Amino acid sequence: METIEAFSASGIDQSLLSIAEKVYSGERISEADCLILFQKGELGFVGALANSIAQRLHNGKVYFNRNFHIEPTNVCVFTCNFCSYSRQYKHRDEGWEMSIEQMMDIVRKYDGQPVTEVHIVGGVHPKMNLEFFCELLTRIRAHRPDLHLKGFTAVELAYMFRKAKLTTREGLEMLKAAGLQSMPGGGAEIFDAEVRNAICADKVDGDGWLNIHQTAHELGMHTNATMLYGHIEKYEHRVDHMARLRDLQDKTGGFNCFIPLKFRNKDNDMSHIPETSIIEDLRLYAIARIFMDNFKNLKAYWPMLGRETAQLTLSFGVNDLDGTIDDSTKIYSMAGSEEQSPSLTTEQLCDMIDAVGRIPVERDTLYNEIKVYTPAAEV
Ligand code: V47
Ligand code: SF4
């Protein structure tokens, strides 16, 4: 309570003080409180609260995993205005389309290496259907049974299942039988219908996204959740988005982590919108940590944020830096991220974490600890 007294002595706004009291006594904050934090919470204030929560939950540990990405295609039937990455089917000669054999070549590159996860996400190609991806999963599973298969956004799945004339449950059961173990969090963007219609009108809506994740949780699969922020959305939309995720997590407990994704403005139809400042980014991470009290893990995806900002987020509630991402993931380099070839060795990731006084911990996809890197431990 010393911190509360210090806040109080500093003459801080009464509404912020009562939020601080809730946080320090472990009480959940409301949506109205969350909005107040966005409107009035200075970086130092929200950072202190978020950091205390992350310290209580993780005691200085910061997680990463050893993974690689496969992006089967950037050809996409959808036309999200913020996307710098996709190409329409009629312009597919400007993009890429991988065969199963080409994707297996990527998998074979990691033979004998201690990677634990493959992350498979791409555009929504009209010809890559459910059978195609079931075959891919079966082939990877047979070649590398130890690898955790995490794949497909709710946007890809909604399209795949509709074309196959299957319900969400039936489609997910097929993918699960072929080896799919969890799902990444992409495609969530902003759930609010008005904002969604303005930035990505033609793909699955907010309720559809949530329904696919709920069904996956009911089938025992874990998934991630994202939020694309820093474009035309208002603070109210961020609060609504995070509240819907928090409600679903209360119901199912199936989300592994929350990943805010900063809108990058290069080469897309929203390039006229300026990017958010680093201060606004850090405030968002801190507020997410405070509000989303049932999400144990808050991830900063370093290829999008850049290494230094990702490092800074560790003092604002973040406890996960994703992974070594040892491959050419293009979605952010094409949208203006400084990280043109996002790949870090385990040693570089550990150094990034260690440099800000935190403890690097290698995890698997489900956040089981694989190795704690104390300063004396060998990398
Ligand atoms: O849904 C697209 C975003 C997402 C831009 O679950 C953009 O572990 C910023 O969700 N600026 C796909 N963001 C990637 C994704 C993801 C990434 C890493 C880890 C995980 C995980 C999930 O990328 C899309 C969209 O929200 N995106 N374009 C852009 N210009
Ligand atoms: Fe397609 Fe995804 Fe780009 Fe939207 S964000 S156009 S769904 S690749």
Side-chain angles (χ1 to χ4, degrees):
M1 282 294 128
E2 277 167 24
T3 322
I4 293 286
E5 280 156 22
F7 283 142
S8 182
S10 70
I12 202 162
D13 182 290
Q14 192 53 46
S15 57
L16 290 174
L17 194 58
S18 98
I19 294 172
E21 278 167 353
K22 286 187 191 174
V23 170
Y24 286 119
S25 61
E27 193 184 324
R28 172 171 278 192
I29 70 163
S30 67
E31 290 174 47
D33 292 334
C34 187
L35 188 58
I36 292 171
L37 288 180
F38 275 120
Q39 290 165 336
K40 301 191 195 167
E42 284 181 14
L43 180 61
F45 174 76
V46 292
L49 298 187
N51 201 31
S52 75
I53 300 169
Q55 284 296 109
R56 173 160 45 77
L57 288 173
H58 299 290
N59 204 14
K61 288 180 175 173
V62 174
Y63 295 93
F64 67 93
N65 72 349
R66 297 201 212 207
N67 62 357
F68 64 97
H69 284 217
I70 296 181
E71 296 180 3
T73 182
N74 68 339
V75 173
C76 190
V77 297
F78 297 121
T79 52
C80 305
N81 295 343
F82 51 81
C83 185
S84 323
Y85 159 91
S86 64
R87 295 292 175 269
Q88 290 182 328
Y89 187 67
K90 61 181 176 211
H91 299 305
R92 62 189 182 284
D93 51 325
E94 295 167 16
W96 70 89
E97 300 163 303
M98 284 191 213
S99 64
I100 290 186
E101 216 37 61
Q102 284 170 316
M103 291 190 263
M104 287 308 297
D105 283 343
I106 299 181
V107 174
R108 284 190 281 263
K109 249 175 49 190
Y110 295 92
D111 282 356
Q113 291 190 36
V115 285
T116 60
E117 173 191 285
V118 54
H119 172 126
I120 309 169
V121 165
V124 182
H125 193 294
K127 304 246 157 91
M128 290 183 180
N129 59 17
L130 186 59
E131 284 76 52
F132 176 85
F133 285 117
C134 282
E135 188 188 335
L136 174 68
L137 294 169
T138 308
R139 293 273 309 270
I140 302 176
R141 168 68 57 251
H143 182 76
R144 191 79 197 255
D146 59 318
L147 214 51
H148 183 106
L149 306 186
K150 168 176 138 204
F152 314 117
T153 64
V155 174
E156 294 168 272
L157 296 178
Y159 183 84
M160 235 187 263
F161 299 160
R162 186 157 53 81
K163 283 208 83 169
K165 297 192 172 41
L166 294 175
T167 64
T168 300
R169 184 171 290 269
E170 289 164 346
L172 279 171
E173 276 169 349
M174 269 182 77
L175 289 167
K176 194 176 170 202
L180 188 69
Q181 288 161 290
S182 63
M183 276 169 56
E189 323 312 358
I190 286 282
F191 294 141
D192 175 82
E194 210 174 310
V195 176
R196 203 170 178 88
N197 275 333
I199 64 171
C200 55
D202 49 1
K203 68 188 189 188
V204 68
D205 65 10
D207 286 343
W209 189 99
L210 288 162
N211 176 49
I212 290 176
H213 281 258
Q214 177 164 353
T215 310
H217 299 170
E218 286 164 2
L219 292 173
M221 290 163 72
H222 282 78
T223 72
N224 293 341
T226 58
M227 174 173 76
L228 181 71
Y229 73 92
H231 41 90
I232 60 165
E233 92 288 0
K234 296 201 164 42
Y235 289 149
E236 285 83 351
H237 302 127
R238 296 182 187 180
V239 175
D240 171 68
H241 187 95
M242 296 196 296
R244 292 205 218 179
L245 290 171
R246 189 172 81 167
D247 287 348
L248 181 52
Q249 181 75 327
D250 276 342
K251 261 198 221 161
T252 65
F255 286 116
N256 270 337
C257 72
F258 180 54
I259 316 163
L261 296 170
K262 173 192 174 100
F263 165 66
R264 307 301 308 248
N265 68 3
K266 193 176 146 220
D267 289 337
N268 55 50
D269 291 343
M270 288 163 56
S271 292
H272 56 286
I273 298 174
E275 292 182 356
T276 48
S277 66
I278 292 181
I279 292 179
E280 193 56 15
D281 297 332
L282 296 176
R283 264 175 23 93
L284 172 76
Y285 279 98
I287 294 170
R289 169 56 85 193
I290 297 165
F291 181 68
M292 302 184 79
D293 59 345
N294 52 4
F295 279 70
K296 202 167 171 205
N297 302 299
L298 180 63
K299 185 194 281 190
Y301 188 59
W302 64 263
M304 178 203 42
L305 277 178
R307 296 172 203 201
E308 284 183 3
T309 308
Q311 215 173 10
L312 272 174
T313 64
L314 300 181
S315 300
F316 293 85
V318 167
N319 70 298
D320 185 13
L321 286 185
D322 199 275
T324 44
I325 315 179
D326 194 1
D327 202 24
S328 51
T329 173
K330 299 186 185 65
I331 196 157
Y332 297 113
S333 54
M334 290 171 81
S337 169
E338 298 69 21
E339 302 289 345
Q340 293 304 310
S341 174
S343 170
L344 283 175
T345 62
T346 304
E347 192 170 4
Q348 286 170 317
L349 253 180
C350 286
D351 285 349
M352 263 171 76
I353 297 167
D354 185 57
V356 290
R358 304 288 156 129
I359 307 158
V361 180
E362 185 188 343
R363 63 163 174 85
D364 66 14
T365 310
L366 304 177
Y367 288 83
N368 298 304
E369 292 187 3
I370 293 177
K371 182 169 176 182
V372 179
Y373 287 86
T374 53
E378 203 187 322
V379 174

